[in-house]
Amino acid sequence: MTRPRAASERFVAQLPARTRSRVKVIYSPILEIKPQPVNVDASDVRGLIFTSANGVNAAVSLGLRREMPAFCVGPATTSTAKSAGWTAQMAGATAEELVANLLKHRPDSPLLHLRGEHSRGNVATRLTESGLTVREQAVYQQRLLPLTPEAIEAANSKEPVITPLFSPRTARQFADVWAGSAPLWLASISETTAEPLYSLDYVRLKIAKAPTPKKMRKAVKKLVKHAMRVEGGETTD
């Protein structure tokens, strides 16, 4: 698992029990999330935009007020925002869908998009250019990490390795740090995330049918099933 530890553990915990029982899980985060020590002026803000749970967690640490609405990408981010106390609604499964939704319904603005220092989609710029005032502020860092020694050992073994990738940036990092000879089975949350992976020597690359945790769990479940059938042995995730 290449996501930050807490997110990886949540994903694994929600896999079917049979799937979990058939793999040895190795946690090797290749992206570390750290809040940025910034001041956020939200005095005139009428709503927040969250495109990841990391943005929600950063907003909590910054003490932003909860009475404004939150417009979120994906069920996981929405659930995190609701649990933190915001009146949150899922405005789309992707940033593209969120932009389209906000332009259609045009909530009170200005809105504030709280994001990482590396962000895709140009959400604030596109919304502002279309007449909806949106500011953005980076509130957390995303530091790339190498594979752990345990993951490197697995990569150099003969057992199949199943790796789910959840973002284009982590996929690029994985493609850069992977140097193993183990049979590699990859699950990607989207076609965009899959692009950096095509250069790797893999057995199979499965793209989730939708960019959601539920569809990724289904993709991983299928990969585990197929890998065990093909390889006839235990798998490492």
Side-chain angles (χ1 to χ4, degrees):
M1 293 299 300
T2 59
R3 304 180 87 185
R5 183 63 181 251
S8 289
E9 289 180 345
R10 285 195 300 271
F11 182 81
V12 171
Q14 292 173 351
L15 288 170
R18 178 165 173 76
T19 300
R20 294 199 306 270
S21 71
R22 302 173 83 180
V23 299
K24 174 186 176 183
V25 179
I26 293 176
Y27 295 100
S28 180
I30 56 177
L31 189 70
E32 181 182 38
I33 304 298
K34 286 190 172 183
Q36 286 188 333
V38 296
N39 292 318
V40 176
D41 181 7
S43 57
D44 65 336
V45 170
R46 306 297 298 275
L48 298 174
I49 296 175
F50 294 123
T51 47
S52 76
N54 295 319
V56 178
N57 294 332
V60 170
S61 68
L62 291 167
L64 294 186
R65 66 184 193 275
R66 308 295 207 276
E67 63 267 20
M68 66 182 97
F71 305 97
C72 306
V73 170
T77 302
T78 307
S79 176
T80 302
K82 286 181 178 179
S83 297
W86 276 281
T87 302
Q89 61 176 276
M90 179 173 151
T94 65
E96 291 289 332
E97 291 182 4
L98 175 135
V99 169
N101 184 298
L102 292 180
L103 289 179
K104 178 180 179 180
H105 296 287
R106 295 193 172 269
D108 291 340
S109 62
L111 304 177
L112 177 61
H113 178 201
L114 298 177
R115 59 171 181 80
E117 60 183 350
H118 299 280
S119 180
R120 294 173 56 88
N122 298 317
V123 169
T125 299
R126 292 166 61 196
L127 288 171
T128 298
E129 288 176 347
S130 298
L132 189 64
T133 303
V134 180
R135 302 198 304 268
E136 63 180 344
Q137 186 163 355
V139 290
Y140 62 91
Q141 300 172 332
Q142 304 131 302
R143 187 165 70 94
L144 297 173
L145 301 173
L147 294 175
T148 64
E150 186 180 11
I152 292 173
E153 182 180 356
N156 292 320
S157 73
K158 295 182 180 180
E159 299 293 340
V161 173
I162 297 174
T163 305
L165 282 312
F166 293 84
S167 75
R169 192 158 188 256
T170 53
R172 285 194 298 272
Q173 175 67 354
F174 182 78
D176 287 342
V177 300
W178 174 264
S181 56
L184 183 60
W185 297 68
L186 299 169
S188 171
I189 198 167
S190 67
E191 179 62 48
T192 303
T193 298
E195 288 176 4
L197 305 174
Y198 290 129
S199 62
L200 295 173
D201 182 15
Y202 54 82
V203 178
R204 185 171 182 181
L205 169 58
K206 185 169 183 59
I207 299 173
K209 292 185 177 180
T212 65
K214 180 178 180 180
K215 295 300 183 182
M216 275 294 281
R217 290 193 295 270
K218 287 188 175 181
V220 169
K221 176 184 175 181
K222 289 181 179 179
L223 282 185
V224 170
K225 180 179 179 181
H226 292 318
M228 294 198 70
R229 182 183 302 152
V230 172
E231 304 292 340
E234 183 184 85
T235 63
T236 301
D237 180 10

